[in-house]
Amino acid sequence: MAAAAVKAQSGGVCVILLACVFILRQSLVQGAETYRRKLSVDINPNSTLDPPPGGDLLHVRAVGGNDTLHFLFCSQGAPTLLIVHTNTSSSTVKVNWPEFLAHNTSGSLTVEPQSSVLYSTAVVFSRLLEYDDVNNTAEPTSDFFPPYELQNFNWSRLSLNGSMALLCGADPTFRNGSLCLQLSVFDSEGRFESWPRLLHSANSSQVDVWLDGILPRSNNSRFLLELQSVGGAYPLSRVDVQQSIDDEFTPSIFKVSQWVSSMNGSSDVLGFVQWKPVAYRRPHPVLEDAMPCRHSDPQSQSGEATTASSSLIRAFYSKPEAMGLNVSFGLAGDPFYNKTMFLSWTMLVGVGSPPVDFFSPMIVTIMVVAMGTPMILLLVGGVCICLHKRKAASSATYEPIN
């Protein structure tokens, strides 16, 4: 029994020590200075027209120690986000505006020097799809309304707030409703305060998409958003789904989906689109406003069709390779869009490996208490039993025989 007590004691001490080391490490990591980039924002760079007709071009330059990320967000045609990674801190963007506005010339937007480009990826927000879910199955079949082609929307001028840009557009049938996209670029690691609180890094940007007040075409309308990924030799080609047991930052959600690009199917990720499979039915949601979402498998798309829908794609890529997928909002039994007339969804777009969530110190403390308490009770019980047996053994003495 004494051996068992010693073993329990050593096991409990090991668990507690490991937990303390882990919590200390997490605190040091979180308290340390994270990697930072220097951001500069320019709208319609080098343009002599203020503003240029047809939409805006936002350029956010994120300079690191020996590399640069160029974030280009364009509303000429379907809204498009292009990220270009270079191996120098002095690379720049050049735009030939007459050719860019003509929408028919590849190479009218370049990153100089072109030999410094390591990787590029683009996401085109191409179509908004709506269907009549009359049976409340959330299974889109043939009951689709004519799609909303986002390249044909009337887009507002970009509204800037630091390294954040807001773009809203509408189809004439929306009446007073709108579809909005908000781009945020970051200089370091962190989180937004609002759900889903995705972990971002200095190598990523966040795009929030929301439908606000759009007039649905049925009382049972549900929506899908079509995304197209464009790249050179390695577009985003597969979706990986990661599991977690921690929903501290996104309550009730234990998964993260990652649409990634890799070289010849390897595990090394070149670029990504990352999201939690959840949307929200109100601008300031509570848990009851969460709505699950699903994605289709990526499918190869016509590079020519994608180029025709986005001026930025045509301007930068000569031979684009395109993949596409749909993100659908809502499951069977979930409220329809017309209940709140609002729907929001958030994703990250970046280069390199996607940010990975670790257990927070609070979660680690809970785990330590849950695992350590039984061991401490076992330890205390074993010590008490040993002391009791030792006391009993010392009192059991023989009487002398006369």
Side-chain angles (χ1 to χ4, degrees):
M1 198 67 189
V6 171
K7 186 179 292 186
Q9 181 179 10
S10 61
V13 169
C14 286
V15 169
I16 295 172
L17 285 175
L18 285 173
C20 291
V21 169
F22 189 87
I23 293 174
L24 179 61
R25 175 187 174 276
Q26 290 290 93
S27 300
L28 290 174
V29 169
Q30 292 179 357
E33 183 71 15
T34 57
Y35 178 74
R36 289 187 174 275
R37 292 184 178 274
K38 182 179 179 180
L39 303 183
S40 60
V41 181
D42 191 10
I43 189 165
N44 303 316
N46 315 124
S47 174
T48 58
L49 300 173
D50 188 22
D56 291 317
L57 173 64
L58 174 72
H59 175 216
V60 181
R61 189 167 179 262
V63 180
N66 55 7
D67 69 336
T68 303
L69 288 175
H70 297 275
F71 297 86
L72 294 142
F73 187 47
C74 184
S75 59
Q76 298 242 352
T80 303
L81 173 62
L82 168 66
I83 304 179
V84 183
H85 186 204
T86 69
N87 62 7
T88 174
S89 58
S90 60
S91 58
T92 59
V93 168
K94 301 293 184 182
V95 184
N96 183 324
W97 278 99
E99 293 183 356
F100 186 83
L101 295 174
H103 310 302
N104 59 9
T105 305
S106 174
S108 58
L109 185 149
T110 59
V111 174
E112 304 290 345
Q114 296 187 37
S115 60
S116 69
V117 175
L118 297 173
Y119 174 76
S120 67
T121 188
V123 176
V124 181
F125 299 84
S126 52
R127 297 198 299 175
L128 180 67
L129 306 172
E130 179 183 359
Y131 68 98
D132 186 6
D133 189 16
V134 65
N135 295 319
N136 199 7
T137 61
E139 294 293 339
T141 53
S142 60
D143 298 324
F144 277 94
F145 296 105
Y148 294 112
E149 301 287 347
L150 301 192
Q151 62 179 313
N152 298 326
F153 272 31
N154 296 318
W155 293 104
S156 66
R157 310 310 302 198
L158 281 173
S159 175
L160 297 182
N161 181 11
S163 57
M164 183 183 298
L166 176 64
L167 175 68
C168 291
D171 182 87
T173 62
F174 284 3
R175 295 189 181 179
N176 294 324
S178 61
L179 183 154
C180 295
L181 299 97
Q182 180 175 275
L183 171 70
S184 304
V185 180
F186 312 103
D187 63 353
S188 61
E189 183 178 290
R191 297 181 190 272
F192 262 42
E193 288 302 316
S194 56
W195 289 349
R197 299 200 65 196
L198 296 177
L199 176 66
H200 60 253
S201 71
N203 294 332
S204 65
S205 60
Q206 179 170 303
V207 180
D208 298 282
V209 184
W210 65 83
L211 312 179
D212 188 4
I214 291 176
L215 185 66
R217 287 175 279 189
S218 80
N219 292 328
N220 307 306
S221 284
R222 297 193 191 278
F223 287 93
L224 299 87
L225 182 64
E226 181 183 274
L227 304 175
Q228 293 184 352
S229 153
V230 183
Y234 306 105
L236 307 178
S237 58
R238 73 174 192 270
V239 177
D240 299 331
V241 178
Q242 307 291 335
Q243 301 280 350
S244 173
I245 63 172
D246 184 4
D247 70 338
E248 177 184 359
F249 298 106
T250 311
S252 78
I253 304 301
F254 298 91
K255 295 180 180 179
V256 61
S257 300
Q258 299 175 162
W259 190 11
V260 299
S261 165
S262 61
M263 188 178 299
N264 300 323
S266 70
S267 59
D268 294 332
V269 175
L270 302 175
F272 65 89
V273 174
Q274 182 190 71
W275 67 89
K276 293 285 186 75
V278 62
Y280 296 100
R281 290 188 292 267
R282 296 186 189 278
H284 305 287
V286 293
L287 185 58
E288 291 75 17
D289 297 321
M291 173 186 293
C293 60
R294 296 171 293 175
H295 65 270
S296 63
D297 293 330
Q299 300 290 332
S300 179
Q301 304 288 307
S302 167
E304 293 183 2
T306 304
T307 298
S309 69
S310 168
S311 296
L312 184 56
I313 297 299
R314 181 181 294 277
F316 185 75
Y317 289 105
S318 57
K319 295 181 180 179
E321 296 289 334
M323 301 288 288
L325 58 73
N326 295 328
V327 178
S328 59
F329 306 103
L331 301 179
D334 284 336
F336 298 109
Y337 174 78
N338 63 0
K339 180 175 181 179
T340 61
M341 302 292 284
F342 185 88
L343 177 67
S344 69
W345 178 68
T346 301
M347 68 180 196
L348 292 181
V349 187
V351 300
S353 298
V356 178
D357 266 320
F358 292 99
F359 290 123
S360 68
M362 182 184 74
I363 298 299
V364 174
T365 301
I366 293 173
M367 294 172 63
V368 168
V369 171
M371 292 186 298
T373 300
M375 292 186 176
I376 292 174
L377 293 175
L378 178 62
L379 172 62
V380 172
V383 170
C384 290
I385 291 173
C386 289
L387 292 176
H388 177 74
K389 286 195 171 185
R390 178 170 293 183
K391 182 178 180 180
S394 62
S395 62
T397 57
Y398 290 103
E399 293 290 334
I401 298 175
N402 294 326

mmCIF file of all heavy atoms in Angstrom, residues 277-302:
data_model
loop_
_atom_site.group_PDB
_atom_site.id
_atom_site.type_symbol
_atom_site.label_atom_id
_atom_site.label_comp_id
_atom_site.label_asym_id
_atom_site.label_seq_id
_atom_site.Cartn_x
_atom_site.Cartn_y
_atom_site.Cartn_z
ATOM 1 N N PRO A 277 -17.291 26.531 -39.427
ATOM 2 C CA PRO A 277 -18.541 26.209 -40.121
ATOM 3 C C PRO A 277 -19.770 26.759 -39.388
ATOM 4 O O PRO A 277 -20.641 26.018 -38.929
ATOM 5 C CB PRO A 277 -18.538 24.681 -40.155
ATOM 6 C CG PRO A 277 -17.761 24.285 -38.949
ATOM 7 C CD PRO A 277 -16.698 25.344 -38.771
ATOM 8 N N VAL A 278 -19.819 28.082 -39.273
ATOM 9 C CA VAL A 278 -20.926 28.720 -38.562
ATOM 10 C C VAL A 278 -21.172 30.095 -39.173
ATOM 11 O O VAL A 278 -20.236 30.780 -39.602
ATOM 12 C CB VAL A 278 -20.616 28.847 -37.048
ATOM 13 C CG1 VAL A 278 -19.403 29.717 -36.793
ATOM 14 C CG2 VAL A 278 -21.825 29.358 -36.280
ATOM 15 N N ALA A 279 -22.443 30.464 -39.254
ATOM 16 C CA ALA A 279 -22.865 31.808 -39.648
ATOM 17 C C ALA A 279 -23.803 32.313 -38.553
ATOM 18 O O ALA A 279 -24.221 31.554 -37.672
ATOM 19 C CB ALA A 279 -23.565 31.779 -41.005
ATOM 20 N N TYR A 280 -24.134 33.594 -38.617
ATOM 21 C CA TYR A 280 -24.959 34.188 -37.571
ATOM 22 C C TYR A 280 -26.108 34.984 -38.188
ATOM 23 O O TYR A 280 -25.965 35.605 -39.243
ATOM 24 C CB TYR A 280 -24.110 35.080 -36.659
ATOM 25 C CG TYR A 280 -23.051 34.304 -35.911
ATOM 26 C CD1 TYR A 280 -21.730 34.294 -36.354
ATOM 27 C CD2 TYR A 280 -23.380 33.538 -34.799
ATOM 28 C CE1 TYR A 280 -20.762 33.565 -35.691
ATOM 29 C CE2 TYR A 280 -22.415 32.797 -34.126
ATOM 30 C CZ TYR A 280 -21.115 32.811 -34.575
ATOM 31 O OH TYR A 280 -20.156 32.064 -33.920
ATOM 32 N N ARG A 281 -27.250 34.952 -37.497
ATOM 33 C CA ARG A 281 -28.473 35.554 -38.018
ATOM 34 C C ARG A 281 -28.694 36.982 -37.537
ATOM 35 O O ARG A 281 -29.693 37.600 -37.913
ATOM 36 C CB ARG A 281 -29.689 34.694 -37.637
ATOM 37 C CG ARG A 281 -29.755 33.365 -38.348
ATOM 38 C CD ARG A 281 -31.065 32.661 -38.087
ATOM 39 N NE ARG A 281 -31.177 32.233 -36.708
ATOM 40 C CZ ARG A 281 -30.830 31.026 -36.272
ATOM 41 N NH1 ARG A 281 -30.345 30.135 -37.129
ATOM 42 N NH2 ARG A 281 -30.958 30.704 -35.004
ATOM 43 N N ARG A 282 -27.796 37.512 -36.706
ATOM 44 C CA ARG A 282 -27.934 38.892 -36.229
ATOM 45 C C ARG A 282 -26.559 39.562 -36.200
ATOM 46 O O ARG A 282 -25.537 38.890 -36.042
ATOM 47 C CB ARG A 282 -28.569 38.935 -34.838
ATOM 48 C CG ARG A 282 -29.998 38.397 -34.794
ATOM 49 C CD ARG A 282 -30.635 38.590 -33.418
ATOM 50 N NE ARG A 282 -31.904 37.900 -33.312
ATOM 51 C CZ ARG A 282 -33.057 38.382 -33.754
ATOM 52 N NH1 ARG A 282 -33.102 39.586 -34.325
ATOM 53 N NH2 ARG A 282 -34.186 37.687 -33.634
ATOM 54 N N PRO A 283 -26.537 40.900 -36.326
ATOM 55 C CA PRO A 283 -25.248 41.603 -36.321
ATOM 56 C C PRO A 283 -24.472 41.437 -35.016
ATOM 57 O O PRO A 283 -23.236 41.399 -35.028
ATOM 58 C CB PRO A 283 -25.644 43.068 -36.553
ATOM 59 C CG PRO A 283 -26.991 43.017 -37.186
ATOM 60 C CD PRO A 283 -27.667 41.805 -36.621
ATOM 61 N N HIS A 284 -25.172 41.370 -33.894
ATOM 62 C CA HIS A 284 -24.526 41.176 -32.587
ATOM 63 C C HIS A 284 -25.100 39.895 -31.984
ATOM 64 O O HIS A 284 -26.018 39.939 -31.158
ATOM 65 C CB HIS A 284 -24.767 42.381 -31.684
ATOM 66 C CG HIS A 284 -24.336 43.685 -32.297
ATOM 67 N ND1 HIS A 284 -23.004 44.031 -32.434
ATOM 68 C CD2 HIS A 284 -25.045 44.708 -32.829
ATOM 69 C CE1 HIS A 284 -22.921 45.209 -33.014
ATOM 70 N NE2 HIS A 284 -24.136 45.649 -33.272
ATOM 71 N N PRO A 285 -24.569 38.750 -32.392
ATOM 72 C CA PRO A 285 -25.249 37.487 -32.092
ATOM 73 C C PRO A 285 -25.068 37.007 -30.665
ATOM 74 O O PRO A 285 -24.104 37.343 -29.974
ATOM 75 C CB PRO A 285 -24.593 36.512 -33.070
ATOM 76 C CG PRO A 285 -23.207 37.055 -33.254
ATOM 77 C CD PRO A 285 -23.370 38.547 -33.209
ATOM 78 N N VAL A 286 -26.038 36.203 -30.242
ATOM 79 C CA VAL A 286 -25.911 35.362 -29.066
ATOM 80 C C VAL A 286 -25.903 33.924 -29.575
ATOM 81 O O VAL A 286 -26.040 33.682 -30.776
ATOM 82 C CB VAL A 286 -27.081 35.595 -28.079
ATOM 83 C CG1 VAL A 286 -26.998 36.990 -27.496
ATOM 84 C CG2 VAL A 286 -28.427 35.382 -28.749
ATOM 85 N N LEU A 287 -25.724 32.977 -28.660
ATOM 86 C CA LEU A 287 -25.552 31.588 -29.076
ATOM 87 C C LEU A 287 -26.731 31.085 -29.905
ATOM 88 O O LEU A 287 -26.560 30.312 -30.858
ATOM 89 C CB LEU A 287 -25.351 30.701 -27.842
ATOM 90 C CG LEU A 287 -25.037 29.220 -28.105
ATOM 91 C CD1 LEU A 287 -23.780 29.089 -28.958
ATOM 92 C CD2 LEU A 287 -24.881 28.472 -26.790
ATOM 93 N N GLU A 288 -27.933 31.552 -29.582
ATOM 94 C CA GLU A 288 -29.131 31.088 -30.292
ATOM 95 C C GLU A 288 -29.156 31.555 -31.742
ATOM 96 O O GLU A 288 -29.945 31.046 -32.543
ATOM 97 C CB GLU A 288 -30.395 31.562 -29.570
ATOM 98 C CG GLU A 288 -30.640 30.912 -28.211
ATOM 99 C CD GLU A 288 -29.708 31.450 -27.126
ATOM 100 O OE1 GLU A 288 -29.107 32.537 -27.356
ATOM 101 O OE2 GLU A 288 -29.557 30.786 -26.077
ATOM 102 N N ASP A 289 -28.316 32.530 -32.093
ATOM 103 C CA ASP A 289 -28.301 33.059 -33.459
ATOM 104 C C ASP A 289 -27.311 32.334 -34.357
ATOM 105 O O ASP A 289 -27.180 32.683 -35.532
ATOM 106 C CB ASP A 289 -27.969 34.551 -33.441
ATOM 107 C CG ASP A 289 -29.012 35.369 -32.709
ATOM 108 O OD1 ASP A 289 -30.210 35.062 -32.856
ATOM 109 O OD2 ASP A 289 -28.635 36.307 -31.985
ATOM 110 N N ALA A 290 -26.609 31.342 -33.829
ATOM 111 C CA ALA A 290 -25.638 30.602 -34.630
ATOM 112 C C ALA A 290 -26.359 29.684 -35.614
ATOM 113 O O ALA A 290 -27.382 29.076 -35.289
ATOM 114 C CB ALA A 290 -24.719 29.790 -33.726
ATOM 115 N N MET A 291 -25.810 29.587 -36.818
ATOM 116 C CA MET A 291 -26.379 28.756 -37.873
ATOM 117 C C MET A 291 -25.251 27.957 -38.522
ATOM 118 O O MET A 291 -24.297 28.557 -39.042
ATOM 119 C CB MET A 291 -27.075 29.629 -38.920
ATOM 120 C CG MET A 291 -27.557 28.869 -40.138
ATOM 121 S SD MET A 291 -28.210 29.983 -41.415
ATOM 122 C CE MET A 291 -29.663 30.605 -40.598
ATOM 123 N N PRO A 292 -25.320 26.621 -38.489
ATOM 124 C CA PRO A 292 -24.260 25.836 -39.127
ATOM 125 C C PRO A 292 -24.209 26.106 -40.631
ATOM 126 O O PRO A 292 -25.206 26.468 -41.253
ATOM 127 C CB PRO A 292 -24.681 24.388 -38.847
ATOM 128 C CG PRO A 292 -25.623 24.470 -37.696
ATOM 129 C CD PRO A 292 -26.332 25.777 -37.834
ATOM 130 N N CYS A 293 -23.025 25.945 -41.196
ATOM 131 C CA CYS A 293 -22.886 26.050 -42.642
ATOM 132 C C CYS A 293 -22.043 24.886 -43.152
ATOM 133 O O CYS A 293 -21.292 24.262 -42.396
ATOM 134 C CB CYS A 293 -22.288 27.394 -43.053
ATOM 135 S SG CYS A 293 -20.652 27.742 -42.395
ATOM 136 N N ARG A 294 -22.201 24.599 -44.429
ATOM 137 C CA ARG A 294 -21.497 23.484 -45.063
ATOM 138 C C ARG A 294 -20.830 23.972 -46.343
ATOM 139 O O ARG A 294 -21.187 25.015 -46.875
ATOM 140 C CB ARG A 294 -22.483 22.353 -45.389
ATOM 141 C CG ARG A 294 -23.128 21.713 -44.163
ATOM 142 C CD ARG A 294 -24.236 20.767 -44.572
ATOM 143 N NE ARG A 294 -25.361 21.478 -45.175
ATOM 144 C CZ ARG A 294 -26.425 20.877 -45.707
ATOM 145 N NH1 ARG A 294 -26.489 19.559 -45.728
ATOM 146 N NH2 ARG A 294 -27.397 21.590 -46.227
ATOM 147 N N HIS A 295 -19.880 23.180 -46.829
ATOM 148 C CA HIS A 295 -19.213 23.523 -48.077
ATOM 149 C C HIS A 295 -19.279 22.340 -49.030
ATOM 150 O O HIS A 295 -19.336 21.187 -48.612
ATOM 151 C CB HIS A 295 -17.753 23.907 -47.831
ATOM 152 C CG HIS A 295 -16.915 22.775 -47.313
ATOM 153 N ND1 HIS A 295 -16.762 22.506 -45.959
ATOM 154 C CD2 HIS A 295 -16.188 21.825 -47.955
ATOM 155 C CE1 HIS A 295 -15.997 21.461 -45.792
ATOM 156 N NE2 HIS A 295 -15.631 21.020 -46.984
ATOM 157 N N SER A 296 -19.270 22.643 -50.314
ATOM 158 C CA SER A 296 -19.186 21.599 -51.326
ATOM 159 C C SER A 296 -17.721 21.249 -51.570
ATOM 160 O O SER A 296 -16.812 21.947 -51.111
ATOM 161 C CB SER A 296 -19.842 22.080 -52.626
ATOM 162 O OG SER A 296 -19.133 23.201 -53.143
ATOM 163 N N ASP A 297 -17.493 20.170 -52.274
ATOM 164 C CA ASP A 297 -16.121 19.819 -52.648
ATOM 165 C C ASP A 297 -15.623 20.777 -53.724
ATOM 166 O O ASP A 297 -16.377 21.170 -54.623
ATOM 167 C CB ASP A 297 -16.071 18.386 -53.180
ATOM 168 C CG ASP A 297 -16.366 17.359 -52.107
ATOM 169 O OD1 ASP A 297 -16.051 17.631 -50.929
ATOM 170 O OD2 ASP A 297 -16.930 16.299 -52.438
ATOM 171 N N PRO A 298 -14.349 21.176 -53.657
ATOM 172 C CA PRO A 298 -13.816 22.055 -54.706
ATOM 173 C C PRO A 298 -13.877 21.387 -56.072
ATOM 174 O O PRO A 298 -13.579 20.189 -56.208
ATOM 175 C CB PRO A 298 -12.369 22.291 -54.260
ATOM 176 C CG PRO A 298 -12.345 21.968 -52.800
ATOM 177 C CD PRO A 298 -13.348 20.887 -52.608
ATOM 178 N N GLN A 299 -14.272 22.168 -57.067
ATOM 179 C CA GLN A 299 -14.360 21.673 -58.436
ATOM 180 C C GLN A 299 -13.566 22.607 -59.347
ATOM 181 O O GLN A 299 -13.527 23.821 -59.136
ATOM 182 C CB GLN A 299 -15.818 21.621 -58.905
ATOM 183 C CG GLN A 299 -16.720 20.729 -58.071
ATOM 184 C CD GLN A 299 -16.407 19.252 -58.256
ATOM 185 O OE1 GLN A 299 -15.925 18.848 -59.313
ATOM 186 N NE2 GLN A 299 -16.669 18.454 -57.224
ATOM 187 N N SER A 300 -12.966 22.017 -60.384
ATOM 188 C CA SER A 300 -12.230 22.813 -61.348
ATOM 189 C C SER A 300 -13.176 23.745 -62.093
ATOM 190 O O SER A 300 -14.302 23.370 -62.439
ATOM 191 C CB SER A 300 -11.512 21.886 -62.332
ATOM 192 O OG SER A 300 -10.806 22.634 -63.301
ATOM 193 N N GLN A 301 -12.732 24.984 -62.295
ATOM 194 C CA GLN A 301 -13.532 25.998 -62.964
ATOM 195 C C GLN A 301 -12.830 26.478 -64.232
ATOM 196 O O GLN A 301 -11.614 26.302 -64.394
ATOM 197 C CB GLN A 301 -13.758 27.197 -62.041
ATOM 198 C CG GLN A 301 -14.389 26.860 -60.704
ATOM 199 C CD GLN A 301 -15.847 26.483 -60.833
ATOM 200 O OE1 GLN A 301 -16.643 27.209 -61.413
ATOM 201 N NE2 GLN A 301 -16.212 25.328 -60.292
ATOM 202 N N SER A 302 -13.595 27.099 -65.096
ATOM 203 C CA SER A 302 -13.028 27.670 -66.309
ATOM 204 C C SER A 302 -12.229 28.929 -65.964
ATOM 205 O O SER A 302 -12.795 29.893 -65.424
ATOM 206 C CB SER A 302 -14.132 28.018 -67.310
ATOM 207 O OG SER A 302 -13.646 28.835 -68.353
#
